[in-house]
Amino acid sequence: MVSKSQIKLITSLAQKKYRYKHGLFVAEGFKTISELINSNFRLNRLFTLNADFGLKPEEIQKIEERELKKISFLKTPQTALALFEIPEEKIVPEKNLTLALDGIRDPGNLGTIIRLCDWFGITNLVCSQDSVDCYNPKVVQATMGSLARVNIIYCDLKSFLTNSELPVYGAFMEGDNIYKSETVEKAILVMGNEANGISAEIEELIQRKISIPRFGELKVTESLNVATATAILLSEFKRKSFTN
């Protein structure tokens, strides 16, 4: 049985203030939970219908489907829900390309960007303090387990960029064509807010403005989704690192 206190705790984790009060976040589904169990994240509690995840019986709380529906954040619960401890942030040395996000607000976008970092081998993802929390249940779900392999840091982005020795690139609608621009492997790439782009105070620190050209005949498309734009730019940075 899932107790009333457990239900209250789990449902409260939808809000950031309670996630950090309790130091816990929610992950759902076999794949995401398995990825996190097999990483450095520490499991707090696992609720499941039938999967054992290779854990000892005492580490698992078997529940019924009606109970899972009470604690799940998904419209269609995925057989299991787990609570993991929020780890302490750590700064990993900037070895290659670092991605920085300035005010990303949409959980789906952040989740997709974390997956992109995993795919393109980006070790560090630096987020401004007004970006959506990476332990938001919707973000965790969208990462599909990639959260386990990307180091995510929330900080004063202006201070971070000011103190970094790496060249700083920024994505703008009006900038140098990324397909014709030279890039370096060790750099910081800044992506801006979904509606407003890179903020004015961060723009002052951008050393090289880059853009993705529009190839449509009319060229009237307003902008690209930030996650889509991030995928294109990361791909181009990585491609050029092989050819330079």
Side-chain angles (χ1 to χ4, degrees):
M1 291 286 292
V2 181
S3 68
K4 290 182 178 180
S5 62
Q6 286 176 324
I7 294 173
K8 183 178 179 180
L9 169 64
I10 294 168
T11 55
S12 76
L13 298 179
Q15 298 183 53
K16 181 179 179 180
K17 65 178 180 179
Y18 291 114
R19 288 196 292 273
Y20 286 88
K21 176 182 177 180
H22 297 291
L24 298 171
F25 71 95
V26 173
E28 298 194 57
F30 186 85
K31 179 179 180 351
T32 299
I33 293 173
S34 296
E35 297 272 11
L36 292 172
I37 286 175
N38 294 315
S39 72
N40 293 325
F41 282 94
R42 295 182 62 181
L43 177 67
N44 175 273
R45 196 74 176 173
L46 175 62
F47 304 87
T48 181
L49 300 180
N50 46 40
D52 61 16
F53 292 89
L55 300 174
K56 298 176 182 178
E58 59 267 27
E59 296 178 292
I60 297 173
Q61 185 167 338
K62 293 290 182 70
I63 59 175
E64 297 179 0
E65 188 172 353
R66 61 181 177 81
E67 295 178 300
L68 182 59
K69 288 180 178 179
K70 289 181 181 180
I71 59 176
S72 176
F73 292 98
L74 304 176
K75 290 183 178 179
T76 305
Q78 297 184 9
T79 73
L81 180 148
L83 303 182
F84 287 91
E85 295 180 10
I86 295 176
E88 290 186 13
E89 289 187 354
K90 58 182 179 179
I91 298 178
V92 176
E94 301 166 298
K95 296 180 180 179
N96 297 304
L97 182 63
T98 293
L99 184 64
L101 304 180
D102 182 18
I104 297 300
R105 303 294 175 82
D106 182 83
N109 282 336
L110 179 57
T112 301
I113 289 171
I114 292 170
R115 289 183 69 188
L116 289 169
C117 287
D118 187 18
W119 183 268
F120 286 106
I122 306 300
T123 304
N124 287 321
L125 174 61
V126 179
C127 301
S128 63
Q129 292 170 335
D130 61 344
S131 291
V132 62
D133 180 31
C134 65
Y135 299 112
N136 177 306
K138 292 181 180 179
V139 176
V140 176
Q141 193 66 25
T143 70
M144 296 295 289
S146 289
L147 183 66
R149 292 178 292 276
V150 180
N151 183 47
I152 305 170
I153 305 160
Y154 284 81
C155 65
D156 182 323
L157 187 56
K158 183 177 181 179
S159 177
F160 174 82
L161 296 176
T162 300
N163 293 320
S164 176
E165 297 180 356
L166 298 180
V168 181
Y169 291 73
F172 291 84
M173 288 297 294
E174 303 299 331
D176 295 331
N177 185 334
I178 184 60
Y179 300 119
K180 297 180 180 179
S181 302
E182 290 186 5
T183 61
V184 293
E185 187 175 359
K186 295 182 179 181
I188 298 173
L189 171 62
V190 181
M191 303 299 297
N193 172 266
E194 291 91 341
N196 303 310
I198 293 173
S199 62
E201 69 170 4
I202 298 301
E203 182 177 356
E204 294 177 357
L205 301 172
I206 302 297
Q207 299 164 4
R208 185 72 180 273
K209 295 181 178 181
I210 54 176
S211 67
I212 301 168
R214 287 177 290 193
F215 292 97
E217 192 171 315
L218 297 179
K219 294 182 173 57
V220 294
T221 306
E222 185 176 315
S223 64
L224 284 174
N225 168 273
V226 65
T228 301
T230 300
I232 294 169
L233 293 176
L234 289 181
S235 178
E236 194 62 13
F237 267 84
K238 288 296 184 177
R239 184 188 70 81
K240 288 180 177 178
S241 71
F242 284 107
T243 57
N244 289 341

